[in-house]
Amino acid sequence: MLAYALKRLVILALSLAVASLVIFVVVEVAPGDPASFMLGINARPDTIAALRAELGLDLPVHERYLAWVTGMVQGDFGTSYTYRAPVAQMVAERVQVSLPLALYALLLSTLIAFPAGIFAAARRGKPGDVAVMGATQLGVAVPNFWFAMLLVLLFALKLRWFSAGGFPGWDDPLQGLKALTLPAVALALPQAAILARVMRSALIDILHEDFIRTARAKGLSRRQALWRHGVRNALIPVLTIIGLQFSFLLAGAIIIEQVFFLPGLGRLIFQAITQRDLIVVESVVMLLVFAVIVVTFLTDLAYAAVDPRLRGRR
Amino acid sequence: MSRNLILGTLLTALFLGAALLSFLWTPYPTDTVAITERLQPPSAAHWLGTDHFGRDMLSLIMVGARTSIAVALVAVGIGLGLGVPLGLAAAARSGGWLDEAIMRMNDLIFAFPSLVIAILITAILGPGALNAIIAIGIFNIPVFARLSRGAALSLWRREFILAARTAGKSAPRISAEHILPNIANLLIVQGTIQFSLGILAEAGLSYVGLGAQPPIPSWGRMLADAQTMVALAPHVAILPGLAIVLTVLGLNLLGDGLRDRLDPRLGVVRT
Amino acid sequence: MIPSLVSKYLGEREGQRPSHLSDRTQSDSKPLLEIDALSLAIHDKPILKNLTLTIAPGEIVALTGESGSGKSMTALAAMGLLPQGAEITGALRLDGTDLCALSERRLCALRGREIGMIFQEPMTALNPVQRIGAQVAETILVHKAMPRGVANARAAEMLARVGLPPERVPPTRYPHELSGGQRQRVVIAMAIALRPKLLIADEPTTALDVTTQAQILDLLRDLVREEGMGLMMITHDLAVVSEMADRIAVMKSGEIVEQGETRRLFAEMRHPYTRQLFEASRHRADLPEPRPDGPLLRVAEVTRHYPGPRDGLFRPGQPHIAVNGVSLEVARGERVGLVGESGCGKSTLARAILGLEPVQAGEITLGGAPVYRHGKPDRAVRRRVQVVFQDPYGSFNPRHRVGRLIAEPFHLLDDPPRGPARDAAIAQALSDVGLKPEHAGQHIHAFSGGQRQRIAIARALIIRPELVIFDEAVSALDVRVRAQILDLIADLSRQYGLTYLFISHDLSVVRGITDRVLVMRGGEIVEAGETETVFDNPAHWYTKSLLAAAPSLPRPPGGGPEDDPEPDA
């Protein structure tokens, strides 16, 4: 188990190193001179020179990369050119919205999908299954941001149960949670539809396995066999999807923030793009990729927890 | 033919037809503004109403279908064109350095959701439909690479591949002659699903301004424009979304129907 | 303290059980299981027809027949685990209670407690993510027969009973940490944890090696005798049946064609089908006299190992040695057998000879030319050897037609026949194996398993290789088809003077089709010699144990001729 975890940890470190290199090359090397790019075509040469000095562009490429990475490791993400503020501080504020939103959505999605998937698998081919599958077929096809707009239309504008957008902060956690509820539901339902389908088909595959027949021969009822032997084995493919979904939810959160005017990473990054603030773009992208890689690592660990066959390996 | 297949084919044909038809004819021109007719609800003259510039919604949706389908189709093409050869090569050299390199590269790409790739490209090159194609296409590569590698690996263990090897055939030749035809069904089904995911992704990117730019109509942009007018004229927000839902639904049903028809045991992944 | 608790619960049923059952209970005592005019149809397709059979306590009754005869369905019917759409008539009485009339809930209460079942495939019969002790204890817990602590102790005891003592195989192990034979023991422990009255074993040893098979059969026999259970044993292997069963029922297409006490049934064999099965099972092909003519294949000190699973993060683990310094020679015109249990390296060796697996040490030459030149297989040498694989269903690309399939080895020729010459070669290859030239245009799925093996042989012979490797080529076939394929090989030997290496785990098959035999164990050849000599007077202990473990058929009634004419299809 330890060897397995260590190997995953090495892969995690390598992925982070390569990902940071890719991002660095794309943002700081590919466009030519980042300083003149950020300032636009009408910039005066002396302003460009000043920015170059500020960004340390005079240094050789590899030193700049090392400086960027070591800075990040120490929590220094550089200074935003447009806001004149430390990027780390701006990001920290925004993460307080985006990360809870993604996690909230992941939780909702799992809470909806597991029972739905198990319910459908247990009633395969019966009306309950057909209804759940029909609903998920529709859910998979719905773009989350459009679903968010419909939710706003119904619950904020017509029923006035929720506000149409904005975020009051975490001073009152309940109010904060309430403000994130519609966005989280919008994010979660389409993902839940996918997850429920995966859960169902994984379970149905497993119900055809020999060991389910063995369990039935021991005297377990169909339902007992499904719960005691099916669900845990089905978790193996389901975990893969949950891991992948996190990156979709994080990216989706960025889009959903646009619908609800939430002050999250999405707002930050789109402003940064329009203002050509490469330092902010680079940092936020790195942060998102970091989150995805860490979740992949956690998924791998969860695999080993579920599947003893992995623990002994490598 | 199953119900899925019929409904899926009909919906897909409807939107493909609308997209193709829009090259020749639309009920109204989409590039002229008629402020006097703005935000009209559906009527006999404008079946689906008009937008905030007074343009005919039906015409816009028809032209928008063109953008969505083109972006998603090219992105699937990129995924198939690059991912499948990579996956087949990895399977043929299973356990070797090439396999390891290809799979690690795949993992790395999976760490960059298409939105993040689109953000990176847009930050450097500015927004545009091409960015959306590249971003979605890059994300499709590991999807197809993994799928074809997994399917090919299980085939490589089969005795008919051993027989081909004893007939002295090379790995590329076996991949082309024996592996590819046997995973074609799987690729068709997964391709349909990636197509529908591509349409969803394109809509999302256009919605946040990273995809197709005006004046090219696209469903995502129409929804972004409609956002401030939801209360005033719900149809401008509802209809383009419905177009997306029906297209994606159609493609998914088509994919499921094809899978059931071709081989119910295909291991298609849907994320 | 725990043992005493266990014994208290163990004593639960002691009173109902005959304590000693060496006195065989025959059908004259009250039957345990009574199958009465049972018919079964699944989606209106008849599967079983008017089955009547009884099993007494302590009795072993074998159901035998070829694949598709309905043996397994009979077992599932007795468990009440038939697939959906099954319609059943007649009765299946356990201790007088008709199982067909019971509700699902009552059946659940019965399964595991009154009837235990053992399946064919031990590798997949256990839940991979649950400890073996817990899986055995579940049988007890699901019936609420004992409190958890006692159930766990009982599970450990049962595992020890089936030959998995806690000091060697603790109940905390997971299935993947066990060998196939050990897993089958776990399955047996699960089935007998509550000492059911009836045990059903569906091909319980078919997936196991011959020595493991003998151990499992011994275990089952002991359990039945000691616990007084009735055992319904399903197997296609007549030799196993003849050694295990008190009574035999022979099934064919859903019907019992003949049943009776084992010795009497083998002596009489009233139904022609029984006779065909029996004769096919001990069939020996009529090989022409061998005329060895100079060396052809030479394998010298060949070693092939695979990298083992890594120990640490970067430290490579112990390599797995599949073939270890093997040397052998096959002369032109010779038919050599290679026997051994699974994992002994026989298939790896075959692949090395075929040029499919590079070797790390040693040399393989065919007619003096090395198979590998600079680590790459040499095309000119490769065309001198072809192969027939085991699986008639996996050996062909399902998308190609037969003609294209069997012509594939032409790829090895520098100047392959084209057009009419190619068609003629295909037609000739097909007629050689008893098929018609018209079959070239058909897809492979139109053919049965036996026909497919014929096509595989046609493919191997189409370029007239000097050496053919049969890698378990008849192992997946039913006995009667197997006999036909063996005869075909003998005919082709007569016609073309074949040289072949016949690889099999099945000793009796190798005996009937080879002149010389090599016995392989743990990557090494432990014994070699004339087939008859090795089988009659084995020298190495391993060969002896293999031969001792292999179940054998009784002598044919009236002495019978050694080789009977081919049974009809």
Side-chain angles (χ1 to χ4, degrees):
Chain A
M1 180 71 194
L2 195 67
Y4 175 83
L6 273 176
K7 167 148 187 185
R8 298 291 122 186
L9 207 60
V10 170
I11 291 180
L12 168 100
L14 285 177
S15 311
L16 283 176
V18 179
S20 65
L21 200 61
V22 170
I23 293 170
F24 179 81
V25 168
V26 169
V27 175
E28 296 208 16
V29 182
D33 181 28
S36 42
F37 177 83
M38 286 166 75
L39 292 170
I41 24 172
N42 299 325
R44 299 207 329 252
D46 54 328
T47 350
I48 296 181
L51 183 62
R52 285 184 63 88
E54 189 193 321
L55 296 176
L57 292 182
D58 307 323
L59 296 170
V61 175
H62 65 274
E63 280 182 36
R64 270 159 56 204
Y65 171 71
L66 279 179
W68 178 58
V69 171
T70 42
M72 276 193 303
V73 172
Q74 292 158 357
D76 175 14
F77 287 69
T79 308
S80 157
Y81 176 69
T82 33
Y83 292 97
R84 292 282 154 203
V87 177
Q89 188 193 324
M90 296 165 58
V91 165
E93 284 168 18
R94 306 306 184 97
V95 164
Q96 288 178 23
V97 178
S98 296
L99 191 64
L101 177 56
L103 291 176
Y104 192 0
L106 193 64
L107 184 74
L108 279 181
S109 153
T110 314
L111 283 179
I112 298 166
F114 272 47
I118 296 172
F119 174 89
R123 284 166 189 69
R124 188 184 184 195
K126 301 206 174 110
D129 178 28
V130 175
V132 171
M133 282 301 99
T136 57
Q137 190 67 268
L138 202 63
V140 169
V142 171
N144 53 24
F145 62 92
W146 178 67
F147 186 51
M149 288 163 71
L150 296 187
L151 288 178
V152 168
L153 190 60
L154 180 63
F155 291 104
L157 301 180
K158 290 268 192 304
L159 299 172
R160 302 197 171 273
W161 291 355
F162 292 89
S163 68
F167 185 68
W170 288 110
D171 299 332
D172 181 352
L174 271 182
Q175 284 304 314
L177 214 54
K178 190 179 171 192
L180 292 186
T181 298
L182 280 191
V185 169
L187 271 175
L189 279 185
Q191 295 297 311
I194 294 171
L195 200 56
R197 291 180 82 85
V198 173
M199 185 76 186
R200 173 183 178 271
S201 68
L203 263 178
I204 286 175
D205 283 352
I206 281 159
L207 290 179
H208 285 123
E209 293 280 344
D210 282 355
F211 63 81
I212 293 293
R213 195 182 51 184
T214 313
R216 297 274 285 134
K218 284 197 248 184
L220 274 74
S221 67
R222 208 176 287 275
R223 184 167 303 234
Q224 280 171 323
L226 175 93
W227 279 99
R228 294 191 197 177
H229 296 276
V231 172
R232 182 149 171 216
N233 279 287
L235 277 184
I236 296 165
V238 167
L239 275 175
T240 317
I241 305 299
I242 291 183
L244 280 176
Q245 285 205 338
F246 181 78
S247 66
F248 282 86
L249 286 172
L250 211 57
I254 290 175
I255 297 182
I256 290 290
E257 282 165 12
Q258 297 294 99
V259 184
F260 291 94
F261 307 103
L262 295 175
L265 286 176
R267 290 277 290 288
L268 180 64
I269 203 165
F270 291 124
Q271 282 163 358
I273 288 175
T274 35
Q275 290 154 349
R276 301 188 158 202
D277 194 338
L278 287 184
I279 306 299
V280 173
V281 172
E282 190 178 45
S283 303
V284 176
V285 164
M286 188 61 220
L287 194 74
L288 291 173
V289 171
F290 173 78
V292 173
I293 291 177
V294 167
V295 166
T296 312
F297 170 70
L298 293 176
T299 317
D300 283 343
L301 289 192
Y303 268 152
V306 171
D307 190 345
R309 284 164 295 188
L310 283 178
R311 279 176 231 160
R313 200 178 293 173
R314 273 177 267 187
Chain B
M1 288 240 287
S2 72
R3 233 179 345 190
N4 279 353
L5 202 54
I6 294 171
L7 193 59
T9 312
L10 282 178
L11 280 172
T12 308
L14 177 71
F15 282 94
L16 268 178
L20 290 176
L21 181 64
S22 74
F23 282 105
L24 301 173
W25 174 84
T26 50
Y28 292 87
T30 55
D31 48 6
T32 40
V33 175
I35 296 297
T36 46
E37 313 234 322
R38 64 195 293 266
L39 295 178
Q40 284 186 4
S43 63
H46 296 280
W47 287 7
L48 301 181
T50 58
D51 78 343
H52 58 297
F53 289 130
R55 294 176 297 184
D56 178 52
M57 286 291 285
L58 178 60
S59 311
L60 285 173
I61 286 176
M62 283 171 67
V63 181
R66 208 152 84 186
T67 315
S68 287
I69 289 171
V71 169
L73 209 57
V74 177
V76 170
I78 292 176
L80 275 170
L82 293 175
V84 173
L86 285 176
L88 290 180
R93 296 274 175 271
S94 153
W97 65 267
L98 183 68
D99 183 21
E100 191 70 14
I102 290 173
M103 291 324 285
R104 290 288 85 80
M105 193 132 83
N106 271 343
D107 290 347
L108 189 72
I109 297 180
F110 265 126
F112 288 81
S114 359
L115 184 78
V116 170
I117 298 178
I119 286 170
L120 271 178
I121 301 174
T122 311
I124 306 306
L125 303 176
L130 190 64
N131 298 351
I133 291 179
I134 297 173
I136 302 168
I138 287 182
F139 202 72
N140 274 338
I141 296 173
V143 171
F144 284 105
R146 256 185 205 202
L147 184 77
S148 44
R149 176 180 177 271
L153 266 185
S154 66
L155 286 174
W156 271 101
R157 283 193 283 270
R158 296 273 293 275
E159 289 180 343
F160 73 88
I161 300 295
L162 285 177
R165 290 175 62 200
T166 46
K169 290 184 174 165
S170 64
R173 173 139 192 192
I174 290 176
S175 295
E177 193 176 307
H178 288 295
I179 308 266
L180 197 57
N182 278 294
I183 65 170
N185 284 348
L186 183 68
L187 294 177
I188 290 169
V189 173
Q190 187 75 46
T192 325
I193 286 168
Q194 291 311 116
F195 190 10
S196 78
L197 289 174
I199 285 179
L200 280 177
E202 189 277 335
L205 291 178
S206 302
Y207 172 75
V208 290
L210 301 179
Q213 296 298 304
I216 302 171
S218 88
W219 293 342
R221 276 220 69 76
M222 290 168 75
L223 286 171
D225 293 341
Q227 198 177 342
T228 47
M229 287 160 279
V230 172
L232 214 61
H235 73 273
V236 291
I238 292 174
L239 292 172
L242 221 48
I244 299 173
V245 172
L246 290 177
T247 313
V248 174
L249 186 67
L251 282 167
N252 284 341
L253 290 174
L254 182 65
D256 284 3
L258 281 176
R259 183 196 56 206
D260 294 343
R261 192 177 172 83
L262 297 173
D263 182 357
R265 295 192 60 85
L266 290 182
V268 172
V269 201
R270 196 194 287 248
T271 45
Chain C
M1 182 190 158
I2 283 183
S4 67
L5 256 178
V6 174
S7 57
K8 179 187 134 208
Y9 283 94
L10 284 181
E12 246 180 0
R13 283 229 195 113
E14 217 90 301
Q16 308 166 12
R17 300 228 162 264
S19 53
H20 191 250
L21 274 145
S22 53
D23 51 331
R24 296 269 179 94
T25 22
Q26 289 293 333
S27 39
D28 48 87
S29 71
K30 190 171 161 286
L32 171 64
L33 180 75
E34 212 182 337
I35 300 178
D36 188 3
L38 182 77
S39 292
L40 168 70
I42 296 178
H43 298 299
D44 297 324
K45 186 170 171 263
I47 306 287
L48 300 177
K49 295 165 211 153
N50 202 21
L51 246 54
T52 298
L53 182 78
T54 61
I55 299 178
E59 189 184 32
I60 301 176
V61 175
L63 284 184
T64 192
E66 290 173 310
S67 43
S69 62
K71 323 184 281 292
S72 292
M73 276 300 162
T74 314
L76 291 178
M79 290 298 285
L81 286 177
L82 288 168
Q84 290 197 330
E87 269 179 71
I88 208 163
T89 60
L92 244 160
R93 281 186 286 273
L94 183 76
D95 265 351
T97 320
D98 187 0
L99 300 178
C100 303
L102 291 186
S103 67
E104 175 61 24
R105 179 189 285 268
R106 290 279 308 280
L107 277 173
C108 280
L110 222 72
R111 282 185 215 120
R113 185 186 263 280
E114 306 287 336
I115 315 175
M117 183 155 180
I118 300 159
F119 302 94
Q120 170 172 356
E121 198 36 80
M123 302 314 270
T124 52
L126 295 170
N127 183 344
V129 304
Q130 204 176 27
R131 298 178 194 280
I132 56 170
Q135 296 194 48
V136 176
E138 188 178 34
T139 307
I140 304 164
L141 292 171
V142 76
H143 292 285
K144 301 196 173 58
M146 293 172 198
R148 185 170 288 274
V150 191
N152 286 336
R154 170 67 160 273
E157 187 192 315
M158 278 299 153
L159 283 170
R161 173 70 190 83
V162 297
L164 302 174
E167 64 275 11
R168 280 201 297 126
V169 186
T172 48
R173 288 280 170 85
Y174 285 99
H176 71 277
E177 300 171 301
L178 274 54
S179 70
Q182 288 174 322
R183 292 189 208 192
Q184 195 63 309
R185 289 172 192 271
V186 176
V187 175
I188 295 175
M190 275 163 41
I192 62 164
L194 284 174
R195 312 197 169 202
K197 295 173 189 156
L198 177 67
L199 203 54
I200 299 175
D202 186 359
E203 303 273 8
T205 57
T206 306
L208 304 175
D209 278 328
V210 56
T211 39
T212 319
Q213 159 166 297
Q215 292 161 7
I216 295 288
L217 292 179
D218 280 343
L219 173 64
L220 284 175
R221 204 170 354 209
D222 287 353
L223 284 171
V224 169
R225 300 302 182 225
E226 284 169 26
E227 312 279 341
M229 298 173 189
L231 172 63
M232 181 197 282
M233 166 110 179
I234 285 152
T235 175
H236 68 283
D237 189 332
L238 272 190
V240 168
V241 169
S242 73
E243 294 202 344
M244 275 290 282
D246 300 321
R247 281 196 301 120
I248 298 179
V250 181
M251 290 188 73
K252 187 190 180 206
S253 356
E255 280 176 283
I256 294 181
V257 295
E258 182 169 5
Q259 62 174 306
E261 193 263 326
T262 303
R263 207 167 324 148
R264 189 164 347 132
L265 186 128
F266 276 116
E268 291 173 357
M269 292 202 276
R270 264 176 269 156
H271 198 279
Y273 179 71
T274 313
R275 190 170 289 270
Q276 286 169 16
L277 279 187
F278 183 81
E279 270 151 18
S281 296
R282 51 189 292 283
H283 182 75
R284 298 227 188 134
D286 182 18
L287 275 184
E289 277 300 305
R291 277 190 301 264
D293 178 22
L296 175 61
L297 170 71
R298 217 178 128 258
V299 173
E301 295 291 325
V302 161
T303 296
R304 167 76 179 140
H305 50 78
Y306 299 99
R310 264 183 244 180
D311 269 351
L313 212 44
F314 300 104
R315 200 153 27 104
Q318 285 290 314
H320 168 68
I321 300 175
V323 176
N324 190 10
V326 163
S327 299
L328 64 92
E329 271 184 42
V330 175
R332 218 175 287 274
E334 214 181 6
R335 285 83 48 136
V336 178
L338 182 59
V339 295
E341 295 181 303
S342 53
C344 72
K346 53 189 192 304
S347 286
T348 307
L349 184 59
R351 287 178 190 195
I353 296 170
L354 286 165
L356 296 178
E357 299 239 6
V359 297
Q360 275 98 0
E363 195 183 37
I364 303 172
T365 53
L366 260 171
V371 173
Y372 297 91
R373 215 177 278 272
H374 310 298
K376 289 246 160 75
D378 185 330
R379 231 165 75 95
V381 182
R382 254 185 148 170
R383 70 176 67 125
R384 304 165 81 163
V385 52
Q386 282 295 303
V387 62
V388 179
F389 290 111
Q390 170 175 5
D391 182 6
Y393 295 88
S395 305
F396 303 98
N397 186 339
R399 300 192 168 265
H400 293 172
R401 288 170 202 278
V402 169
R404 184 170 175 192
L405 289 171
I406 62 175
E408 189 161 41
F410 280 150
H411 184 76
L412 281 167
L413 303 185
D414 294 326
D415 184 22
R418 281 171 224 287
R422 184 174 181 274
D423 294 343
I426 291 169
Q428 177 64 41
L430 282 170
S431 359
D432 279 349
V433 297
L435 294 171
K436 296 196 180 72
E438 303 89 271
H439 287 139
Q442 283 177 286
H443 279 285
I444 194 72
H445 54 73
F447 295 89
S448 70
Q451 289 172 317
R452 286 176 197 215
Q453 272 328 56
R454 287 175 190 267
I455 294 170
I457 293 172
R459 172 171 64 187
L461 296 185
I462 198 164
I463 55 168
R464 300 272 170 265
E466 292 163 55
L467 175 70
V468 182
I469 294 182
F470 292 98
D471 188 357
E472 301 277 7
V474 297
S475 302
L477 304 174
D478 275 324
V479 280
R480 290 187 302 166
V481 180
R482 187 175 77 190
Q484 292 164 13
I485 297 294
L486 291 176
D487 283 338
L488 172 66
I489 293 174
D491 284 347
L492 290 168
S493 294
R494 208 168 293 123
Q495 200 175 343
Y496 294 112
L498 295 186
T499 307
Y500 56 76
L501 189 63
F502 193 98
I503 299 172
S504 179
H505 69 283
D506 191 327
L507 301 164
S508 64
V509 170
V510 171
R511 184 166 199 173
I513 196 78
T514 62
D515 312 315
R516 210 150 62 79
V517 68
L518 311 165
V519 183
M520 207 167 167
R521 176 178 182 268
E524 293 170 16
I525 290 178
V526 296
E527 182 162 2
E530 301 280 316
T531 304
E532 286 306 315
T533 320
V534 170
F535 276 74
D536 290 336
N537 290 306
H540 194 271
W541 65 266
Y542 179 69
T543 317
K544 289 180 190 163
S545 73
L546 275 186
L547 286 166
S552 56
L553 283 168
R555 298 285 304 162
E562 270 301 289
D563 287 308
D564 282 288
E566 181 182 327
D568 61 41

